């Protein structure tokens, strides 16, 4: 007889090799998607303001267009006070003020440290034309305990994991829709306020109301988790897997949390702000640093995702009941097997 080598070890090695390759590919794609927008992005129609006489405002606009074509969306304001109000309303990220008393560059590092850095570089460029260097004023600064905004930028990915993990656990622990929804709601509130406590009291990265910040994080988690739960109810594990991939590979890098949404070109900027990570990040900035200014848009987006998630959950539940009712009962008292088992 001819001895044949066992195939089980080979199959095991092939599976392990395929698993390692798949995980390496996933991590590489996730890393590239997360790093490239921040490392390679540049402003695209970034809204900034100019407070200056008409002639001077035109000169500034021409200078900006010459230095970075298409980078800035320049808006005119009658005076510096109006420009400051626009920054606090989140209409613009900053701007340039020219008056008879001097020149100043207004920034808001709380809106985006990357944009504040870019506008500070503009101040240096303006000083090259002669005259005194303009004064850089941070109208809405980040907290002194986190002047670079590292805590807020780094919180997004853990929050996404906080939305995915409860759904994965609940779909394994229970089949009852009501229990799953209640578990997602409880997990979203608990994780949201725990994360807010770390960023507000621990790292000092947030400067607003702790209760409002926790509510914003909880809503972001709830919107993402409900959609994932709904995808699982409507399409099973393939639907849940697709939702997780969209959150991690699209929602996280396209959120603009590390720079600004305007550092992404269209249509990616719009897509990112219509996903829960982008909307949640902007909502948190609004409530943490701008007294809620600019929060209506993100709230609308998150509300749409909550409604969509609930609709998918209801659709999955109705479909499941219809399928179960259409199947013939296997425990009929008139069946021979039940008669035998009853004896």
């Amino acid at each position: 007889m001819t001895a044949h080598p066992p195939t089980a070890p080979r199959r095991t090695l092939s599976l392990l090799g395929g698993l390692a390759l798949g995980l390496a590919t996933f991590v590489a794609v996730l890393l590239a998607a997360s790093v490239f927008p921040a490392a390679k992005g540049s402003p695209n129609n970034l809204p900034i303001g100019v407070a200056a006489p008409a002639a001077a405002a035109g000169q500034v606009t021409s200078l900006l267009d010459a230095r970075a074509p298409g980078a800035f969306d320049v808006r005119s304001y009658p005076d510096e006070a109006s420009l400051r109000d626009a920054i606090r309303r989140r209409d613009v990220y900053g701007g340039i003020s020219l008056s008879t008393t001097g020149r100043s560059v207004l920034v808001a590092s709380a809106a985006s440290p990357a944009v504040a850095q870019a506008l500070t570089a503009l101040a240096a460029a303006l000083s090259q034309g002669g005259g005194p260097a303009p004064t850089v004023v941070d109208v809405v600064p980040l907290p002194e305990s986190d002047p670079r905004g590292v805590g807020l930028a780094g919180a997004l990915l853990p929050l996404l994991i906080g939305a995915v993990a409860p759904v994965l656990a609940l779909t394994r622990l229970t089949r009852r829709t009501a229990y799953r929804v209640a578990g997602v709601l409880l997990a979203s509130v608990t994780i949201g306020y725990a994360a807010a406590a770390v960023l507000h009291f621990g790292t000092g990265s947030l400067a607003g109301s702790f209760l409002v910040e926790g509510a914003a994080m909880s809503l972001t988690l709830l919107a993402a988790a409900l959609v994932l739960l709904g995808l699982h109810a409507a399409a099973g594990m393939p639907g849940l897997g697709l939702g997780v991939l969209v959150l991690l590979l699209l929602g996280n890098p396209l959120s603009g949390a590390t720079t600004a949404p305007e550092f992404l070109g269209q249509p990616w900027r719009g897509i990112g702000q219509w996903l829960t990570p982008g909307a949640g990040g902007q909502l948190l900035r609004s409530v943490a640093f701008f007294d809620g200014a600019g929060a209506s848009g993100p709230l609308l987006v998150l509300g749409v995702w909550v409604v969509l998630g609930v609709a998918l959950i209801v659709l999955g539940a109705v479909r499941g009941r219809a399928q179960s009712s259409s199947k013939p009962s296997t425990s009929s008292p008139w069946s021979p097997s039940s008669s035998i088992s009853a004896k």
Side-chain angles (χ1 to χ4, degrees), residues 197-270:
V198 171
L199 294 178
H200 189 100
F201 301 110
T203 63
S205 301
L206 305 179
S209 166
F210 166 70
L211 294 178
V212 179
E213 293 162 356
M217 289 190 174
S218 299
L219 178 60
T220 302
L221 289 165
L222 181 64
L226 283 177
V227 171
L228 293 177
L229 195 61
L231 289 172
H232 181 271
M237 286 304 297
L240 176 57
L242 177 62
V244 172
L245 288 177
V246 169
L247 273 180
L248 295 179
L249 297 182
L250 287 180
N252 183 37
L254 298 183
S255 65
T258 56
T259 53
E262 288 79 8
F263 275 62
L264 301 169
Q266 293 290 11
W268 306 113
R269 179 198 310 176

Side-chain angles (χ1 to χ4, degrees), residues 76-246:
S76 297
Y77 294 92
D79 49 43
E80 183 173 320
S82 301
L83 177 55
R84 287 174 178 263
D85 290 340
I87 294 172
R88 295 189 183 98
R89 293 194 306 267
R90 302 200 70 184
D91 293 336
V92 293
Y93 282 89
I96 300 171
S97 175
L98 305 178
S99 65
T100 56
T101 58
R103 300 181 295 179
S104 59
V105 173
L106 308 182
V107 302
S109 59
S112 170
V115 174
Q117 183 178 0
L119 292 179
T120 302
L122 279 180
L126 290 174
S127 64
Q128 294 177 358
T135 303
V136 178
V137 180
D138 199 342
V139 179
V140 188
L142 285 165
E144 294 182 359
S145 53
D146 188 8
R148 295 183 296 173
V150 176
L152 183 57
L156 187 58
L157 186 57
L159 281 179
L160 293 181
I161 296 174
V164 173
V167 176
L168 292 176
L170 288 167
T171 53
R172 294 292 184 272
L173 293 174
T174 178
R175 298 178 63 88
R176 298 192 63 175
T177 301
Y179 289 169
R180 290 178 176 180
V181 173
V184 161
L185 178 60
L186 179 61
S188 298
V189 174
T190 304
I191 297 173
Y193 273 95
V198 171
L199 294 178
H200 189 100
F201 301 110
T203 63
S205 301
L206 305 179
S209 166
F210 166 70
L211 294 178
V212 179
E213 293 162 356
M217 289 190 174
S218 299
L219 178 60
T220 302
L221 289 165
L222 181 64
L226 283 177
V227 171
L228 293 177
L229 195 61
L231 289 172
H232 181 271
M237 286 304 297
L240 176 57
L242 177 62
V244 172
L245 288 177
V246 169

